[in-house]
Amino acid sequence: MSFEEQDTPNFNTVAQHGGQESDSLTHARAVPIYQTTSYEFESPDHAASLFQMQKEGYIYSRNANPTNRVLEKRLAGLEGGVDAFAVSSGQSAITIALLTLAKAGEEIVTTNALYGGTYNLFSETFSRFGVKARFVDGTDIEEVRGAINEKTKAVFTESIGNPGLQIADIKALSKAAHDHGIPLVVDATFTTPYLQKPIDYGADIVIHSVTKFIGGNGTAIGGIIIDAGSFDWGNGNFPEFTTPNRALNNQSYVELPSASPFIAKARFELGHNLGTALSPFHGWLFIQGLQSLSVRMRQHVENAQEVAEYLANHHLIAWVNYPTLEGDSQYELAKIYLPKGAGSIFTFGVIGGYESAKIFINSVKLLSHVANVGDSKTLVIHPASTTHARLSPEEKLTAGVEEEQIRLSIGLEDVEDIKADIDQALQKSVEASFVEEVNPFN
Ligand SMILES: *Cc1c(COP(=O)(O)O)cnc(C)c1O
């Protein structure tokens, strides 16, 4: 029996086999890298049918590539979606997904606890394109509902907010969106399908920066958009999906022989026109990453929980914020939405504010000071002066960015070594702030 014939393969089986059809020429076991820009057409009629999206097939690797197609089908399978589109970065995935829904003059409603790059994309770039992003407190569903109007085309949230670690109440957010006939888009980068499948809670579109845990080794940038396949594009709010299109043989996107009108439109329009193609070599790296995702995530979560507990009991810190620590403000939501763990990214506060935070970061030896998360190595950064530096003081406050806050992304090193490095750096940061306080002339 082949993989496709099995009724309901489980997570790890899909992670190894999903989306791959045996190459009938070579029977290669691993997914080959199709390092090609273009594909021979069988005839002019065949070419025309591909161009008009009447048939599935390959034209040019800006639109689709067989290696990346395995990644797309595999991740769609892992998320419980119907189709996916892999692109050059998480940022391009968010751009394409949301601009496939909203055009100039229209709006999106987004939670305000966001990855810094996404915040800037919405507040700086989308506004220049005429798409208004209304930022709301995602934990206040009435505020979310109140921000939706007749121009709103999507609600956007991260599965775990950055860097405040607010856990999205996806059921409530999707209900708010669906009551207004618009989809919920979830950036699930921090959780991955191993820890949570947003579609199970009502999300319509799921996005990942596959750069992070899915790639897993900090080697390549990429992103993906996955469609749950459940949203009704014919509800009257999305005429671009239901209007006949000359480029599509006078059919509309919902009439195409495609599993997902949304992915078809994203690929055919913005993917094709903006040119945010994923390199097949990078697609291949992400496939390698998916194959070990669950074992890595288990270890990430185990190490993160241990470091968080260690910090919670450490006398040289001000506070620690990790959803699965007892007493954390997100503890109850974590039990519902993240029963396998809250990932490996969390924050803590040093004693002594910004200056101590700088000394802490200067003093770490094992931890890497980089602007990334979800690597196999443990990473550290000071969000207020880097990833979230462009936010105003008020914006920082609402997004949960604080001056004494250090963000950790716990990796796969031996956890004793991670704790030891944090401990020695904390000692230095506190000694320095103590010296400053008792002797201001020093
Ligand atoms: C990194 C990240 C992005 C952006 O992804 P890139 O691959 O760096 O473009 C978006 N959202 C979240 C939550 C991220 O962590």
Side-chain angles (χ1 to χ4, degrees):
M1 190 163 84
S2 81
F3 168 72
E4 275 75 24
E5 290 167 66
Q6 219 171 325
D7 278 349
T8 48
N10 289 298
F11 189 91
N12 288 307
T13 307
V14 177
Q16 307 310 316
H17 298 275
Q20 184 183 9
E21 282 160 41
S22 183
D23 166 358
S24 57
L25 215 53
T26 65
H27 303 287
R29 181 58 284 216
V31 176
I33 302 176
Y34 287 89
Q35 194 66 55
T36 181
T37 54
S38 36
Y39 308 84
E40 285 186 288
F41 304 122
E42 291 160 17
S43 65
D45 283 346
H46 175 235
S49 71
L50 291 178
F51 269 84
Q52 296 181 335
M53 293 193 112
Q54 301 298 302
K55 264 204 182 114
E56 229 192 286
Y58 299 100
I59 300 174
Y60 191 55
S61 285
R62 172 140 49 79
N63 310 355
N65 169 280
T67 306
N68 294 345
R69 204 68 196 113
V70 176
L71 175 69
E72 290 165 351
K73 289 184 177 169
R74 196 168 287 188
L75 256 170
L78 290 173
E79 287 286 8
V82 294
D83 200 2
F85 181 28
V87 291
S88 59
S89 68
Q91 290 297 105
S92 56
I94 296 168
T95 304
I96 288 177
L98 291 173
L99 296 185
T100 294
L101 299 169
K103 61 179 186 300
E106 296 177 338
E107 301 185 359
I108 60 164
V109 167
T110 173
T111 57
N112 55 20
L114 294 173
Y115 175 75
T118 307
Y119 200 97
N120 299 337
L121 171 68
F122 293 166
S123 62
E124 296 170 10
T125 306
F126 275 27
S127 61
R128 293 188 70 230
F129 288 2
V131 174
K132 183 177 174 62
R134 288 188 190 271
F135 294 92
V136 294
D137 175 355
T139 63
D140 182 345
I141 296 299
E142 286 320 305
E143 192 179 329
V144 175
R145 285 180 179 274
I148 301 174
N149 61 40
E150 70 285 355
K151 291 187 204 151
T152 314
K153 295 297 167 183
V155 175
F156 181 87
T157 186
E158 293 180 1
S159 54
I160 303 182
N162 182 358
L165 305 180
Q166 299 85 342
I167 294 178
D169 188 348
I170 299 176
K171 281 187 216 169
L173 289 168
S174 68
K175 181 148 196 323
H178 295 164
D179 285 349
H180 290 85
I182 56 174
L184 175 69
V185 182
V186 177
D187 177 343
T189 301
F190 275 29
T191 40
T192 82
Y194 175 72
L195 294 177
Q196 181 193 76
K197 295 182 190 178
I199 290 171
D200 287 351
Y201 302 103
D204 302 286
I205 291 152
V206 177
I207 290 172
H208 292 283
S209 164
V210 290
T211 311
K212 313 291 169 50
F213 292 107
I214 288 173
N217 294 285
T219 49
I221 306 275
I224 198 157
I225 309 163
I226 298 148
D227 178 17
S230 49
F231 191 79
D232 176 14
W233 302 106
N235 71 1
N237 289 333
F238 295 91
E240 288 186 5
F241 285 83
T242 51
T243 309
N245 189 327
R246 198 151 43 85
L248 301 173
N249 196 28
N250 289 320
Q251 287 178 311
S252 68
Y253 281 104
V254 295
E255 292 167 324
L256 288 179
S258 153
S260 163
F262 178 77
I263 295 297
K265 187 172 190 287
R267 195 187 290 281
F268 189 74
E269 294 183 10
L270 288 176
H272 181 81
N273 294 343
L274 295 180
T276 53
L278 178 68
S279 144
F281 175 61
H282 288 180
W284 181 84
L285 286 172
F286 299 130
I287 291 167
Q288 311 311 302
L290 273 185
Q291 293 177 174
S292 62
L293 181 68
S294 69
V295 280
R296 286 187 291 104
M297 288 311 289
R298 273 200 290 276
Q299 194 64 46
H300 273 295
V301 166
E302 192 180 310
N303 283 4
Q305 182 74 27
E306 191 164 335
V307 175
E309 283 172 12
Y310 173 73
L311 283 172
N313 293 313
H314 204 294
H315 64 292
L316 296 181
I317 65 154
W319 50 266
V320 56
N321 182 12
Y322 185 55
T324 51
L325 282 180
E326 225 167 302
D328 190 272
S329 66
Q330 304 296 293
Y331 189 72
E332 294 305 319
L333 272 179
K335 274 205 267 187
I336 300 170
Y337 284 108
L338 297 166
K340 288 195 224 161
S344 84
I345 299 151
F346 66 91
T347 56
F348 72 94
V350 292
I351 295 169
Y354 185 14
E355 289 308 312
S356 293
K358 275 204 286 193
I359 296 165
F360 177 84
I361 286 180
N362 270 332
S363 307
V364 294
K365 294 175 183 152
L366 174 66
L367 275 51
S368 311
H369 181 207
V370 301
N372 190 22
V373 291
D375 196 326
S376 61
K377 284 109 186 158
T378 297
L379 315 177
V380 63
I381 202 160
H382 179 246
S385 63
T386 57
T387 56
H388 292 72
R390 293 198 216 172
L391 274 61
S392 70
E394 300 77 51
E395 287 171 332
K396 281 183 183 161
L397 205 65
T398 51
V401 182
E402 295 162 81
E403 291 300 321
E404 76 272 21
Q405 179 184 60
I406 302 276
R407 186 183 74 191
L408 296 171
S409 173
I410 301 295
L412 302 177
E413 299 95 341
D414 284 295
V415 71
E416 289 71 27
D417 299 330
I418 301 171
K419 289 192 288 190
D421 194 38
I422 290 174
D423 183 60
Q424 64 82 21
L426 276 176
Q427 306 280 355
K428 294 206 178 89
S429 76
V430 171
E431 275 161 29
S433 68
F434 182 68
V435 167
E436 266 172 35
E437 269 167 41
V438 295
N439 184 357
F441 304 106
N442 195 327

